[in-house]
Amino acid sequence: MLLLCLSAINAGMIQSVPLPQDLDISLLWQEMLDDLRDVFDVHYVCARFSHHIARLTSTRTLVAVADAEAKCYDLWLTDETGDTFQRRWTKDEAGFSYLANYTAPTALDKIERPAVEVISSRLWLETRQRLIFCPLTTEGRPFNAFPPTFLVLLDPTETSPIATQTVRQIGDMMCVFLDRAALRQEVDRHTVEFAVISDVSRTLSSTLNVQQIYQSLTGPIRQMLNVETLSIGLVEPITGDIVFVGKLFGPMFEQLPPVRLKKGQGIAGWVAEHQEPVVINNAYSDKRFFSGVDKRSGFKTSSMICIPLKVNERTIGVLQAINRQFGNFTNHDLELMQGLGGPLAAAIENANLHADVLAEKRRIETLFESMSEGLVTVNREGIITKANSAFSILVAGQAEELVGRPLKEVARTNKGDIDDLIARVINTSNGNVHFAADLNHFHTRPLPVLISGASVENQYGPVNEVILVFSDLTQIREVERMRDDLFQGIIHELRTPLATILMYSRLLREGKARQPEKAERFLGVIERESDRLQRMIRQMLDLAKLEAREMQHSPEPVWLNALFDESLPSLAERAVQKGLLFRQRIELDLPPVMGSIEAYAMTLRILLDNAIKFTPSGSVQIAAWQKDDTVIVEITDDGIGIPPEAMNNLFKRFYRAQSAVERGIAGTGLGLYMVKENLRNYNGRIAVQSTLGKGTTFTLQLPIAQI
């Protein structure tokens, strides 16, 4: 365009109309070309034209350019000597609206203007008699980016008259330079916008942190779009509702609950559902607009651009630019938003996927580390890649020290090289591989384990990793041993009283007890052995009820004094028959305790039975008293005592101390287990103190009932 204008000047086209008093327009062109050769600022162009036109025409010259909102005008007023003064007038002060109907240079007389127009216009106040008004229009031009601009010549004198045609030519010349400056500014603006979008896109692609993604939008993007706020709403996959990110809204929303729109509700809901962007410059005139958020927050939504955020044709949310600060939203603003939409949607999706992967990784690591079984992963070469604490305990090492070592060095078995097991797991395609063996520990006995192996599938190639689970079978073996001991004990316990009953029954039948006292003695033996058999059967039934939770009733007040009066006489008689001293130290009027009378009766019977059974000579004592909010029951004997190594297993099911087995004292190993379970059901506690060969004390703490 500039080259075309220069060619036109050289050809004399601009001077085709004779100018009054030989006003040489080409001189103005040359001065402006020299002055503005490297200038691309619209305001500076206006200021220099005001200066040069005033000097050339010897007429006061005013050049006014509107701001982006056309609410104010920046003006450069130059007098005949070339002195320029810059002013800023509001739209109402300037009075240009009265001259809007003129589309060509026009000479106007002040005295012909309506009084109201003259009084309210600073333009007319600057004019003495006459002015020439020339709007610089962009109509018909290929580029119209520069804002509304006006050229005004104030009071041209009769000695230097200026034709309107000359003013038109000067205006056309100004448009050339304004076009060039505005075009350059537009290019610069696009460059800045491209740089901002490029920087934001680079930031979005380089972070997997959702908060950083949101922060990258708050500053440069909002300034570039010249909007009051940005907002992002994410679509909930299940409900389809849109939940907005509160941090982007600003302080007005800090004390409010999260902004949520139902599926299809509001403009955001419509955009998410239809996957189409919208540009709205008057929000309240749009029927799709939902004003509930404005009512709750006091925020006023006037205009917005809303675009869908899509990933693989799936809408994951919306991006909104709200309230343009100057002017209306344009298609260019929409293009900028859409340029951000793709990278933003991809960044949010990647961040969410990354968060899901991290959460799943933490779950797996927690599961891996918290499992009681030993877990270890190895590669194809049998090198440990990861091990949990339980495995470290099994092989007596530290987890961090095991990684990188061959598994066969830290887990030696009695059934060959463990690398053979790894090879079997890798080559097996139909499930897990199980392998029972003993781990050979240095300085300790072999540890029985069950090794279960499974390959970690690799969809892109052969299996490269195997996970092995080492289950410690020690407790299972111990339970099996205790079960076998229980069966043997039950068989022995049943066989002895049954054999005695059978023998004395045959003696009676064969008439071996002819004397009445002998027959009475035989019947007493049969009765005693029958009672013994009945106690064993009752204990087995009680265990079955306890396991089936049939004995676990809702807690109720239990008066222990009445329970002692009912239960202790028969137990005291048994102790006396064995030649033991039975003593009672029970506080009168004990408060009621919470529990079950059936469970507490069983507990007393088991503990006193044991005390009598394991005391060859001496005494058995029961004491009870109140302490704070509990009742203490203490059962003490002078029996054989409990070995220290048996303390940890004392309350386990089927467990019997080796000292009792060696002495031939009958038992099932279930009594103390049942006592522990009974007390646990009602928040009671039990403690034991024992000295081998001197006796044992069991102490019960029972919670007092709040009546």
Side-chain angles (χ1 to χ4, degrees):
M1 182 181 293
L2 180 59
L3 292 176
L4 289 174
C5 291
L6 289 172
S7 300
I9 291 172
N10 293 333
M13 293 175 59
I14 291 182
Q15 299 184 42
S16 58
V17 179
L19 301 180
Q21 297 184 352
D22 299 324
L23 182 60
D24 191 356
I25 196 72
S26 62
L27 179 60
L28 175 62
W29 176 265
Q30 188 61 49
E31 289 181 354
M32 298 309 301
L33 189 62
D34 293 340
D35 197 2
L36 302 177
R37 185 182 303 275
D38 299 319
V39 175
F40 300 95
D41 180 80
V42 170
H43 284 193
Y44 189 78
V45 169
C46 292
R48 297 312 296 164
F49 261 100
S50 177
H51 172 79
H52 287 286
I53 293 172
R55 290 186 56 200
L56 180 65
T57 62
S58 299
T59 304
R60 286 193 305 143
T61 303
L62 182 146
V63 177
V65 59
D67 63 5
E69 287 286 291
K71 293 181 178 180
C72 293
Y73 289 92
D74 289 307
L75 304 101
W76 292 269
L77 180 60
T78 307
D79 59 20
E80 297 88 337
T81 62
D83 293 333
T84 302
F85 305 92
Q86 187 172 0
R87 301 283 189 270
R88 166 162 282 207
W89 294 347
T90 66
K91 180 179 180 181
D92 294 335
E93 289 177 332
F96 291 137
S97 58
Y98 294 103
L99 306 175
N101 294 327
Y102 296 101
T103 59
T106 306
L108 302 171
D109 291 323
K110 184 174 182 179
I111 59 175
E112 296 177 357
R113 299 288 94 194
V116 63
E117 178 180 333
V118 173
I119 294 174
S120 62
S121 171
R122 295 191 64 175
L123 174 63
W124 286 107
L125 294 177
E126 290 287 342
T127 306
R128 300 186 188 93
Q129 295 179 350
R130 183 171 177 268
L131 60 79
I132 298 178
F133 177 80
C134 177
L136 301 186
T137 178
T138 58
E139 184 178 353
R141 295 181 178 275
F143 184 75
N144 58 356
F146 67 84
T149 307
F150 305 99
L151 169 63
V152 182
L153 300 181
L154 301 173
D155 300 315
T157 63
E158 296 181 358
T159 57
S160 57
I162 303 174
T164 55
Q165 183 64 25
T166 304
V167 176
R168 177 188 292 275
Q169 292 178 353
I170 295 174
D172 290 342
M173 185 186 306
M174 286 185 63
C175 286
V176 172
F177 285 92
L178 289 172
D179 277 342
R180 187 182 73 142
L183 180 59
R184 177 60 176 268
Q185 290 182 8
E186 188 72 9
V187 171
D188 291 342
R189 185 166 69 90
H190 284 303
T191 302
V192 172
E193 291 172 348
F194 177 79
V196 170
I197 293 179
S198 178
D199 289 343
V200 172
S201 299
R202 186 163 51 251
T203 301
L204 293 176
S205 62
S206 63
T207 182
L208 294 172
N209 185 295
V210 176
Q211 301 304 321
Q212 291 182 0
I213 292 174
Y214 297 152
Q215 291 173 2
S216 67
L217 299 176
T218 56
I221 297 300
R222 188 168 62 184
Q223 295 174 3
M224 181 184 71
L225 293 171
N226 198 18
V227 295
E228 186 174 351
T229 186
L230 290 170
S231 65
I232 296 176
L234 301 179
V235 177
E236 286 188 343
I238 298 177
T239 64
D241 293 353
I242 299 178
V243 181
F244 285 86
V245 179
K247 290 187 176 181
L248 298 181
F249 275 114
M252 296 183 68
F253 291 82
E254 289 180 355
Q255 305 301 323
L256 296 178
V259 176
R260 173 187 290 266
L261 297 179
K262 296 293 184 181
K263 182 179 181 181
Q265 187 179 39
I267 293 174
W270 188 93
V271 169
E273 191 171 7
H274 292 80
Q275 296 188 341
E276 297 179 9
V278 295
V279 179
I280 300 173
N281 285 305
N282 188 348
Y284 279 83
S285 66
D286 195 298
K287 295 181 179 180
R288 297 168 295 183
F289 180 68
F290 175 69
S291 61
V293 178
D294 283 6
K295 293 177 181 178
R296 291 200 308 268
S297 64
F299 184 84
K300 176 69 173 179
T301 302
S302 58
S303 59
M304 72 164 63
I305 293 179
C306 185
I307 66 169
L309 300 176
K310 297 192 297 183
V311 176
N312 294 330
E313 300 304 320
R314 176 173 56 89
T315 301
I316 66 169
V318 295
L319 173 64
Q320 290 181 326
I322 301 175
N323 292 355
R324 203 176 198 282
Q325 300 285 19
F326 303 107
N328 293 329
F329 283 116
T330 64
N331 288 333
H332 178 69
D333 297 325
L334 176 60
E335 292 172 358
L336 291 177
M337 291 275 289
Q338 291 176 321
L340 284 172
L344 178 59
I348 293 175
E349 181 77 356
N350 291 338
N352 290 336
L353 292 175
H354 179 67
D356 292 342
V357 169
L358 289 181
E360 185 66 24
K361 181 175 181 292
R362 285 192 293 269
R363 283 193 291 269
I364 293 174
E365 288 178 346
T366 302
L367 179 65
F368 189 87
E369 192 60 34
S370 63
M371 287 189 66
S372 58
E373 291 84 0
L375 269 71
V376 62
T377 58
V378 297
N379 59 19
R380 294 181 67 91
E381 289 73 31
I383 305 300
I384 298 174
T385 56
K386 193 172 183 59
N388 70 349
S389 300
F391 179 77
S392 301
I393 295 173
L394 285 178
V395 298
Q398 298 293 328
E400 59 272 12
E401 297 176 356
L402 297 176
V403 176
R405 295 179 60 186
L407 179 61
K408 63 182 180 181
E409 291 184 3
V410 299
R412 296 185 177 91
T413 70
N414 63 337
K415 293 188 178 180
D417 195 342
I418 203 168
D419 282 349
D420 296 336
L421 173 63
I422 297 173
R424 284 173 53 196
V425 174
I426 292 176
N427 297 324
T428 299
S429 59
N430 57 353
N432 297 341
V433 174
H434 303 285
F435 180 71
D438 290 341
L439 286 181
N440 296 320
H441 284 132
F442 299 107
H443 311 300
T444 61
R445 60 186 178 86
L447 181 69
V449 294
L450 175 66
I451 307 175
S452 302
S455 58
V456 180
E457 296 296 332
N458 182 5
Q459 59 179 334
Y460 300 109
V463 174
N464 291 318
E465 194 171 33
V466 169
I467 184 168
L468 301 175
V469 181
F470 288 72
S471 301
D472 187 355
L473 301 180
T474 302
Q475 291 186 351
I476 297 177
R477 296 279 179 88
E478 183 66 18
V479 170
E480 291 176 349
R481 184 191 68 78
M482 290 190 294
R483 183 195 59 194
D484 294 341
D485 291 346
L486 171 66
F487 289 153
Q488 292 176 8
I490 290 175
I491 292 172
H492 176 75
E493 290 292 314
L494 291 175
R495 184 174 58 187
T496 300
L498 285 174
T500 303
I501 292 170
L502 182 61
M503 181 184 68
Y504 280 93
S505 298
R506 286 176 177 174
L507 290 175
L508 288 172
R509 184 177 182 183
E510 294 172 358
K512 301 294 184 179
R514 298 175 183 233
Q515 298 84 2
E517 61 274 9
K518 183 179 283 191
E520 183 69 22
R521 183 166 56 84
F522 283 5
L523 290 173
V525 172
I526 292 174
E527 183 180 12
R528 185 171 62 252
E529 293 300 320
S530 298
D531 287 342
R532 178 182 171 188
L533 191 61
Q534 188 179 27
R535 285 196 304 271
M536 291 180 59
I537 294 172
R538 186 172 60 218
Q539 190 177 47
M540 298 301 296
L541 291 175
D542 288 343
L543 175 64
K545 289 181 180 180
L546 187 66
E547 294 291 335
R549 302 295 180 185
E550 293 182 11
M551 294 182 63
Q552 184 177 348
H553 305 294
S554 299
E556 58 183 6
V558 176
W559 278 262
L560 292 179
N561 290 103
L563 178 61
F564 291 148
D565 292 341
E566 182 180 351
S567 304
L568 294 183
S570 60
L571 294 167
E573 184 179 353
R574 284 189 54 211
V576 171
Q577 288 177 352
K578 191 177 179 180
L580 303 177
L581 177 63
F582 190 88
R583 294 184 293 183
Q584 302 180 38
R585 296 176 56 191
I586 299 174
E587 188 177 287
L588 297 177
D589 298 326
L590 289 171
V593 295
M594 292 303 296
S596 164
I597 189 169
E598 184 179 356
Y600 288 155
M602 179 195 298
T603 298
L604 287 175
R605 186 176 65 248
I606 291 173
L607 292 176
L608 286 170
D609 271 342
N610 284 348
I612 295 170
K613 182 168 56 176
F614 289 101
T615 304
S617 62
S619 65
V620 173
Q621 175 179 291
I622 179 170
W625 68 93
Q626 179 182 353
K627 182 180 179 181
D628 299 330
D629 57 349
T630 61
V631 171
I632 307 298
V633 179
E634 194 173 80
I635 298 172
T636 305
D637 65 62
D638 297 332
I640 63 175
I642 303 171
E645 62 272 13
M647 284 294 186
N648 290 334
N649 300 314
L650 194 61
F651 294 98
K652 291 183 178 179
R653 187 168 52 176
F654 305 138
Y655 181 80
R656 299 186 67 217
Q658 193 65 27
S659 58
V661 176
E662 292 172 353
R663 289 173 179 264
I665 300 175
T668 60
L670 294 173
L672 292 180
Y673 166 75
M674 296 169 68
V675 168
K676 182 80 170 182
E677 288 297 304
N678 281 333
L679 294 176
R680 183 179 64 83
N681 290 337
Y682 301 110
N683 297 322
R685 290 184 291 177
I686 184 170
V688 57
Q689 291 182 335
S690 182
T691 302
L692 193 61
K694 294 185 178 181
T696 303
T697 298
F698 285 92
T699 303
L700 312 182
Q701 295 184 16
L702 309 178
I704 293 177
Q706 303 296 326
I707 300 179

